[in-house]
Amino acid sequence: MAKTMETSQSQTERQTNGTGSNEKNIVYKTKELNLWYGDNQALKNINLEIIENEVTAIIGPSGCGKSTYIKTLNRMIELIPGVRTAGEISYRGRNILDKSYEVEELRTKVGMVFQKPNPFPKSIYENVVYGPRIHGIRDKKILNEIAEKSLRGAAIWDEVKDRLNQNAYGLSGGQQQRLCIARCLAIEPDVILMDEPTSALDPISTLKVEELMQELKKSYSIIIVTHNMQQAARISDKTAFFLNGEVVEFTKTTKMFSKPDDQRTEDYITGRFG
Amino acid sequence: MAKELAGRSVQEMISEKMQSKRQGTSLERIVPILLFITAAVSVLTTIGIVLTLIFETILFFNEVSLKEFLTADKWYPFSETQASYGILPLVSGTFKVTGIAILVAVPIGLAASIYLSEYASDRARRIIKPIFEILAGIPTIVYGYFALTFVTPLLIKFIPGLEIFNALSPGIVIGIMITPMIASLSEDAMSSVPNAMREGALALGSTKFEVAMKVVLPAAASGIIASIVLAVSRAIGETMIVAVAAGSSPNLNWNVTGSIQTMTAYIVQVSQGDVGYGTTIYYSIYAVGMTLFLFTLLMNFIAQFVSRRYREEY
Ligand SMILES: Nc1ncnc2c1ncn2[C@@H]1O[C@H](COP(=O)(O)OP(=O)(O)OP(=O)(O)O)[C@@H](O)[C@H]1O
Ligand SMILES: [Mg+2]
């Protein structure tokens, strides 16, 4: 037991590339994570450390397990029947894969923004205050404050402040996505997971969401899956390259995009890959 | 890829077919006419029925004043000396039974639909849904005798004052009858709420139950309300169950343990007896039928209004 711990520890160190992280500012520590959909293994021996107030990008070809990994971080993966996991993901020092970790509690700490904007078919205001409401905040004044703060935080306040009571589906796709970010900010999470949040958006909306992320990383830790290399290079501090369910390389983004250690990484980011 | 198939290109084959379609009397021209005729037949029949209803109702009101019909509190059509035609007792009978049916069917039907759409496994759903359809196919006369010979004796054990004919037992049984309808239609409405919405709510730390109540239910509201309105119409128009188990005493009161008469049951009673053509009693069934028709029409308008008002776009 002690021995396996040791090997996984050293592996983690190697993969995180010794970027001077101390235990305190580590948000997620993934150790030897394996995941199967039925008999099909989608994640193999993943070791990753996510650091506070950084943007971590996950890149890799289609089907390599990016969404699977990010959905494991807030246990949304459990919604899929037949999923099995082995290994450990500790969030702020506690293993979230442990069944005693209450999933609702985890998800109030770890927000998620989806690939396709998915506002509720309610008013803009109701969308934003949904989270605080179900977690027991009833005071109208406080809810109003939360709504304004979150919408400002998601850089959409000016566009919607005069139409808070209109249906969210009247907004454009880019606005809907920022509304979903606001909805997520409203419960003041610690981490925000984003799975290709701009892939359904036009370039201008994409730019707005990217600028927003730069702003958000001052107070949140962000993990983002993206197929857009430029986006990963522009916005992230660290990048993980996934391939066939494994982490090939995990390092500082600047290094990843200038002189990656692994040939496969270089092939992928230069577009010489299947 | 070979461009030639059996010596001809696909484009050639298509244009040949187009050519033959253009010539002669094509099916394309007859079909819309046939379809129009079938549509017209059903519309005309409906108009005919409504017109008959209106004419006979007018004949009724030649003999009985509209004021008496709407305000008198007694429905004594068979009395030789002091016949009274106040519709209220019949309306109250219908409302009692319908009200009880709704109290039974809405909570159970909604709970069942939430279970089916949010909790049940595919297997359970595959077993339960067809059972609902079977329940919907049971003839109402069977429900009627079920009310009279099973539910009423059972209720009498708990409610000693309950009469053999009463509003409670057929009300409950109509409720049982329309429950699968509410459950099934509401389940359809809830199942069509996109999963992305459930995921959005779960990712904010909602429990499954919160997702069902705060996200899925409101998103499916228009479909759910439509299913309830449809069920209410069914209950208002239900005839056999009340004719068998509710009695034939039109009473204007709040009591549900005694014998009542609904509008539908009255029509059955008159058409079974040997009432002469052209008598006031004969015309009265049209006036009652008209009232019934107006109620169901009203329900239809409510359904349309509500589903427009509550439509949640997504
Ligand atoms: N619900 C599922 N059931 C079974 N297998 C799945 C399921 N979802 C994903 N997989 C499999 O797991 C592997 C990883 O999928 P995943 O969705 O994580 O890829 P991805 O990296 O996010 O791809 P993309 O870039 O296309 O979104 C794939 O081989 C996929 O076929
Ligand atoms: Mg994906």
mmCIF file of all heavy atoms in Angstrom, chain B residues 134-164:
data_model
loop_
_atom_site.group_PDB
_atom_site.id
_atom_site.type_symbol
_atom_site.label_atom_id
_atom_site.label_comp_id
_atom_site.label_asym_id
_atom_site.label_seq_id
_atom_site.Cartn_x
_atom_site.Cartn_y
_atom_site.Cartn_z
ATOM 1 N N ILE B 134 -53.940 0.099 -20.926
ATOM 2 C CA ILE B 134 -54.974 -0.913 -20.683
ATOM 3 C C ILE B 134 -56.071 -0.330 -19.789
ATOM 4 O O ILE B 134 -57.261 -0.462 -20.064
ATOM 5 C CB ILE B 134 -54.372 -2.173 -20.033
ATOM 6 C CG1 ILE B 134 -53.428 -2.862 -21.029
ATOM 7 C CG2 ILE B 134 -55.471 -3.130 -19.571
ATOM 8 C CD1 ILE B 134 -52.610 -3.966 -20.417
ATOM 9 N N LEU B 135 -55.644 0.376 -18.724
ATOM 10 C CA LEU B 135 -56.620 0.988 -17.819
ATOM 11 C C LEU B 135 -57.532 1.947 -18.578
ATOM 12 O O LEU B 135 -58.735 2.014 -18.324
ATOM 13 C CB LEU B 135 -55.896 1.757 -16.709
ATOM 14 C CG LEU B 135 -55.285 0.905 -15.595
ATOM 15 C CD1 LEU B 135 -54.512 1.786 -14.630
ATOM 16 C CD2 LEU B 135 -56.368 0.143 -14.855
ATOM 17 N N ALA B 136 -56.956 2.680 -19.521
ATOM 18 C CA ALA B 136 -57.759 3.635 -20.279
ATOM 19 C C ALA B 136 -58.763 2.931 -21.184
ATOM 20 O O ALA B 136 -59.760 3.511 -21.582
ATOM 21 C CB ALA B 136 -56.846 4.539 -21.115
ATOM 22 N N GLY B 137 -58.509 1.644 -21.463
ATOM 23 C CA GLY B 137 -59.400 0.925 -22.368
ATOM 24 C C GLY B 137 -60.533 0.187 -21.676
ATOM 25 O O GLY B 137 -61.393 -0.388 -22.338
ATOM 26 N N ILE B 138 -60.559 0.187 -20.354
ATOM 27 C CA ILE B 138 -61.633 -0.506 -19.637
ATOM 28 C C ILE B 138 -62.954 0.229 -19.861
ATOM 29 O O ILE B 138 -63.023 1.440 -19.679
ATOM 30 C CB ILE B 138 -61.321 -0.572 -18.126
ATOM 31 C CG1 ILE B 138 -60.072 -1.425 -17.896
ATOM 32 C CG2 ILE B 138 -62.504 -1.139 -17.346
ATOM 33 C CD1 ILE B 138 -59.633 -1.455 -16.442
ATOM 34 N N PRO B 139 -64.010 -0.472 -20.246
ATOM 35 C CA PRO B 139 -65.302 0.194 -20.467
ATOM 36 C C PRO B 139 -65.794 0.843 -19.176
ATOM 37 O O PRO B 139 -65.640 0.277 -18.088
ATOM 38 C CB PRO B 139 -66.234 -0.952 -20.873
ATOM 39 C CG PRO B 139 -65.350 -2.071 -21.251
ATOM 40 C CD PRO B 139 -64.081 -1.903 -20.501
ATOM 41 N N THR B 140 -66.413 2.020 -19.292
ATOM 42 C CA THR B 140 -66.753 2.759 -18.080
ATOM 43 C C THR B 140 -67.852 2.060 -17.278
ATOM 44 O O THR B 140 -67.941 2.240 -16.074
ATOM 45 C CB THR B 140 -67.185 4.188 -18.412
ATOM 46 O OG1 THR B 140 -68.240 4.138 -19.358
ATOM 47 C CG2 THR B 140 -66.028 4.977 -18.964
ATOM 48 N N ILE B 141 -68.657 1.226 -17.947
ATOM 49 C CA ILE B 141 -69.704 0.500 -17.208
ATOM 50 C C ILE B 141 -69.070 -0.408 -16.143
ATOM 51 O O ILE B 141 -69.597 -0.577 -15.050
ATOM 52 C CB ILE B 141 -70.600 -0.310 -18.184
ATOM 53 C CG1 ILE B 141 -71.750 -1.006 -17.448
ATOM 54 C CG2 ILE B 141 -69.823 -1.356 -18.939
ATOM 55 C CD1 ILE B 141 -72.921 -0.126 -17.216
ATOM 56 N N VAL B 142 -67.883 -0.931 -16.479
ATOM 57 C CA VAL B 142 -67.163 -1.777 -15.520
ATOM 58 C C VAL B 142 -66.765 -0.951 -14.305
ATOM 59 O O VAL B 142 -66.941 -1.361 -13.151
ATOM 60 C CB VAL B 142 -65.927 -2.417 -16.181
ATOM 61 C CG1 VAL B 142 -65.127 -3.210 -15.163
ATOM 62 C CG2 VAL B 142 -66.338 -3.283 -17.360
ATOM 63 N N TYR B 143 -66.251 0.260 -14.571
ATOM 64 C CA TYR B 143 -65.923 1.162 -13.468
ATOM 65 C C TYR B 143 -67.168 1.465 -12.650
ATOM 66 O O TYR B 143 -67.125 1.573 -11.428
ATOM 67 C CB TYR B 143 -65.350 2.473 -14.006
ATOM 68 C CG TYR B 143 -63.900 2.416 -14.412
ATOM 69 C CD1 TYR B 143 -63.517 2.431 -15.746
ATOM 70 C CD2 TYR B 143 -62.897 2.372 -13.442
ATOM 71 C CE1 TYR B 143 -62.180 2.412 -16.118
ATOM 72 C CE2 TYR B 143 -61.568 2.347 -13.801
ATOM 73 C CZ TYR B 143 -61.219 2.364 -15.145
ATOM 74 O OH TYR B 143 -59.907 2.331 -15.501
ATOM 75 N N GLY B 144 -68.312 1.622 -13.322
ATOM 76 C CA GLY B 144 -69.555 1.950 -12.645
ATOM 77 C C GLY B 144 -69.927 0.887 -11.625
ATOM 78 O O GLY B 144 -70.206 1.186 -10.463
ATOM 79 N N TYR B 145 -69.876 -0.369 -12.043
ATOM 80 C CA TYR B 145 -70.223 -1.443 -11.101
ATOM 81 C C TYR B 145 -69.140 -1.657 -10.067
ATOM 82 O O TYR B 145 -69.409 -2.053 -8.935
ATOM 83 C CB TYR B 145 -70.583 -2.722 -11.862
ATOM 84 C CG TYR B 145 -71.986 -2.609 -12.389
ATOM 85 C CD1 TYR B 145 -72.249 -2.190 -13.681
ATOM 86 C CD2 TYR B 145 -73.072 -2.828 -11.522
ATOM 87 C CE1 TYR B 145 -73.533 -2.015 -14.142
ATOM 88 C CE2 TYR B 145 -74.368 -2.655 -11.973
ATOM 89 C CZ TYR B 145 -74.603 -2.258 -13.283
ATOM 90 O OH TYR B 145 -75.882 -2.061 -13.704
ATOM 91 N N PHE B 146 -67.894 -1.337 -10.441
ATOM 92 C CA PHE B 146 -66.811 -1.367 -9.465
ATOM 93 C C PHE B 146 -67.103 -0.369 -8.349
ATOM 94 O O PHE B 146 -66.958 -0.674 -7.158
ATOM 95 C CB PHE B 146 -65.490 -1.021 -10.175
ATOM 96 C CG PHE B 146 -64.317 -0.840 -9.273
ATOM 97 C CD1 PHE B 146 -63.824 -1.905 -8.528
ATOM 98 C CD2 PHE B 146 -63.679 0.390 -9.178
ATOM 99 C CE1 PHE B 146 -62.727 -1.734 -7.706
ATOM 100 C CE2 PHE B 146 -62.575 0.563 -8.353
ATOM 101 C CZ PHE B 146 -62.101 -0.504 -7.615
ATOM 102 N N ALA B 147 -67.605 0.816 -8.717
ATOM 103 C CA ALA B 147 -67.964 1.830 -7.723
ATOM 104 C C ALA B 147 -69.101 1.333 -6.841
ATOM 105 O O ALA B 147 -69.046 1.395 -5.613
ATOM 106 C CB ALA B 147 -68.350 3.133 -8.413
ATOM 107 N N LEU B 148 -70.152 0.797 -7.485
ATOM 108 C CA LEU B 148 -71.366 0.427 -6.754
ATOM 109 C C LEU B 148 -71.150 -0.797 -5.857
ATOM 110 O O LEU B 148 -71.590 -0.819 -4.708
ATOM 111 C CB LEU B 148 -72.496 0.149 -7.751
ATOM 112 C CG LEU B 148 -73.858 -0.179 -7.138
ATOM 113 C CD1 LEU B 148 -74.397 1.026 -6.372
ATOM 114 C CD2 LEU B 148 -74.843 -0.590 -8.230
ATOM 115 N N THR B 149 -70.466 -1.794 -6.368
ATOM 116 C CA THR B 149 -70.407 -3.065 -5.631
ATOM 117 C C THR B 149 -69.125 -3.258 -4.842
ATOM 118 O O THR B 149 -69.029 -4.162 -4.030
ATOM 119 C CB THR B 149 -70.540 -4.256 -6.603
ATOM 120 O OG1 THR B 149 -69.427 -4.226 -7.498
ATOM 121 C CG2 THR B 149 -71.830 -4.190 -7.382
ATOM 122 N N PHE B 150 -68.121 -2.426 -5.088
ATOM 123 C CA PHE B 150 -66.891 -2.599 -4.325
ATOM 124 C C PHE B 150 -66.537 -1.375 -3.498
ATOM 125 O O PHE B 150 -66.393 -1.446 -2.280
ATOM 126 C CB PHE B 150 -65.732 -2.957 -5.263
ATOM 127 C CG PHE B 150 -64.439 -3.161 -4.543
ATOM 128 C CD1 PHE B 150 -64.201 -4.338 -3.828
ATOM 129 C CD2 PHE B 150 -63.454 -2.171 -4.544
ATOM 130 C CE1 PHE B 150 -63.014 -4.527 -3.143
ATOM 131 C CE2 PHE B 150 -62.263 -2.352 -3.849
ATOM 132 C CZ PHE B 150 -62.050 -3.543 -3.154
ATOM 133 N N VAL B 151 -66.430 -0.210 -4.180
ATOM 134 C CA VAL B 151 -65.955 0.982 -3.474
ATOM 135 C C VAL B 151 -66.985 1.467 -2.452
ATOM 136 O O VAL B 151 -66.637 1.759 -1.309
ATOM 137 C CB VAL B 151 -65.600 2.098 -4.475
ATOM 138 C CG1 VAL B 151 -65.173 3.365 -3.747
ATOM 139 C CG2 VAL B 151 -64.492 1.638 -5.410
ATOM 140 N N THR B 152 -68.265 1.531 -2.851
ATOM 141 C CA THR B 152 -69.276 2.012 -1.911
ATOM 142 C C THR B 152 -69.340 1.149 -0.645
ATOM 143 O O THR B 152 -69.251 1.696 0.462
ATOM 144 C CB THR B 152 -70.657 2.088 -2.593
ATOM 145 O OG1 THR B 152 -70.532 2.900 -3.752
ATOM 146 C CG2 THR B 152 -71.698 2.671 -1.672
ATOM 147 N N PRO B 153 -69.469 -0.192 -0.752
ATOM 148 C CA PRO B 153 -69.481 -1.007 0.469
ATOM 149 C C PRO B 153 -68.233 -0.810 1.322
ATOM 150 O O PRO B 153 -68.296 -0.759 2.551
ATOM 151 C CB PRO B 153 -69.535 -2.443 -0.071
ATOM 152 C CG PRO B 153 -70.095 -2.319 -1.440
ATOM 153 C CD PRO B 153 -69.661 -1.010 -1.962
ATOM 154 N N LEU B 154 -67.082 -0.640 0.660
ATOM 155 C CA LEU B 154 -65.837 -0.406 1.381
ATOM 156 C C LEU B 154 -65.898 0.905 2.144
ATOM 157 O O LEU B 154 -65.544 0.982 3.328
ATOM 158 C CB LEU B 154 -64.679 -0.385 0.374
ATOM 159 C CG LEU B 154 -63.272 -0.359 0.952
ATOM 160 C CD1 LEU B 154 -62.949 -1.705 1.577
ATOM 161 C CD2 LEU B 154 -62.262 -0.015 -0.131
ATOM 162 N N LEU B 155 -66.399 1.961 1.469
ATOM 163 C CA LEU B 155 -66.463 3.278 2.106
ATOM 164 C C LEU B 155 -67.443 3.283 3.264
ATOM 165 O O LEU B 155 -67.227 3.966 4.266
ATOM 166 C CB LEU B 155 -66.865 4.339 1.074
ATOM 167 C CG LEU B 155 -65.810 4.707 0.031
ATOM 168 C CD1 LEU B 155 -66.387 5.655 -1.004
ATOM 169 C CD2 LEU B 155 -64.596 5.336 0.698
ATOM 170 N N ILE B 156 -68.529 2.513 3.120
ATOM 171 C CA ILE B 156 -69.548 2.500 4.180
ATOM 172 C C ILE B 156 -68.951 2.027 5.499
ATOM 173 O O ILE B 156 -69.326 2.483 6.572
ATOM 174 C CB ILE B 156 -70.755 1.630 3.749
ATOM 175 C CG1 ILE B 156 -71.561 2.406 2.701
ATOM 176 C CG2 ILE B 156 -71.651 1.281 4.942
ATOM 177 C CD1 ILE B 156 -72.732 1.652 2.120
ATOM 178 N N LYS B 157 -67.952 1.151 5.406
ATOM 179 C CA LYS B 157 -67.287 0.673 6.627
ATOM 180 C C LYS B 157 -66.647 1.820 7.393
ATOM 181 O O LYS B 157 -66.521 1.785 8.609
ATOM 182 C CB LYS B 157 -66.211 -0.359 6.273
ATOM 183 C CG LYS B 157 -66.783 -1.687 5.832
ATOM 184 C CD LYS B 157 -65.716 -2.771 5.881
ATOM 185 C CE LYS B 157 -66.276 -4.053 5.290
ATOM 186 N NZ LYS B 157 -65.455 -4.573 4.196
ATOM 187 N N PHE B 158 -66.153 2.841 6.657
ATOM 188 C CA PHE B 158 -65.464 3.956 7.307
ATOM 189 C C PHE B 158 -66.383 5.144 7.534
ATOM 190 O O PHE B 158 -66.202 5.913 8.457
ATOM 191 C CB PHE B 158 -64.266 4.411 6.465
ATOM 192 C CG PHE B 158 -63.271 3.310 6.238
ATOM 193 C CD1 PHE B 158 -63.255 2.589 5.053
ATOM 194 C CD2 PHE B 158 -62.356 2.981 7.235
ATOM 195 C CE1 PHE B 158 -62.340 1.576 4.853
ATOM 196 C CE2 PHE B 158 -61.443 1.967 7.040
ATOM 197 C CZ PHE B 158 -61.431 1.251 5.852
ATOM 198 N N ILE B 159 -67.357 5.311 6.648
ATOM 199 C CA ILE B 159 -68.285 6.437 6.766
ATOM 200 C C ILE B 159 -69.674 5.861 6.953
ATOM 201 O O ILE B 159 -70.368 5.542 5.982
ATOM 202 C CB ILE B 159 -68.243 7.322 5.503
ATOM 203 C CG1 ILE B 159 -66.790 7.658 5.147
ATOM 204 C CG2 ILE B 159 -69.059 8.598 5.710
ATOM 205 C CD1 ILE B 159 -66.619 8.241 3.767
ATOM 206 N N PRO B 160 -70.098 5.695 8.201
ATOM 207 C CA PRO B 160 -71.360 4.996 8.461
ATOM 208 C C PRO B 160 -72.569 5.679 7.811
ATOM 209 O O PRO B 160 -73.498 5.002 7.391
ATOM 210 C CB PRO B 160 -71.476 5.038 9.991
ATOM 211 C CG PRO B 160 -70.098 5.324 10.477
ATOM 212 C CD PRO B 160 -69.422 6.129 9.423
ATOM 213 N N GLY B 161 -72.551 6.996 7.695
ATOM 214 C CA GLY B 161 -73.723 7.694 7.144
ATOM 215 C C GLY B 161 -73.838 7.613 5.630
ATOM 216 O O GLY B 161 -74.783 8.142 5.047
ATOM 217 N N LEU B 162 -72.892 6.967 4.981
ATOM 218 C CA LEU B 162 -72.881 6.953 3.520
ATOM 219 C C LEU B 162 -74.056 6.165 2.955
ATOM 220 O O LEU B 162 -74.326 5.036 3.370
ATOM 221 C CB LEU B 162 -71.565 6.325 3.041
ATOM 222 C CG LEU B 162 -71.192 6.569 1.581
ATOM 223 C CD1 LEU B 162 -70.806 8.020 1.361
ATOM 224 C CD2 LEU B 162 -70.048 5.652 1.161
ATOM 225 N N GLU B 163 -74.768 6.781 2.004
ATOM 226 C CA GLU B 163 -75.871 6.068 1.367
ATOM 227 C C GLU B 163 -75.334 5.164 0.264
ATOM 228 O O GLU B 163 -74.201 5.313 -0.181
ATOM 229 C CB GLU B 163 -76.867 7.077 0.781
ATOM 230 C CG GLU B 163 -77.558 7.914 1.860
ATOM 231 C CD GLU B 163 -78.372 9.057 1.256
ATOM 232 O OE1 GLU B 163 -78.831 8.914 0.113
ATOM 233 O OE2 GLU B 163 -78.532 10.082 1.942
ATOM 234 N N ILE B 164 -76.196 4.222 -0.176
ATOM 235 C CA ILE B 164 -75.781 3.309 -1.248
ATOM 236 C C ILE B 164 -75.426 4.089 -2.504
ATOM 237 O O ILE B 164 -74.432 3.829 -3.163
ATOM 238 C CB ILE B 164 -76.915 2.302 -1.568
ATOM 239 C CG1 ILE B 164 -77.153 1.378 -0.372
ATOM 240 C CG2 ILE B 164 -76.590 1.481 -2.820
ATOM 241 C CD1 ILE B 164 -75.995 0.450 -0.078
#
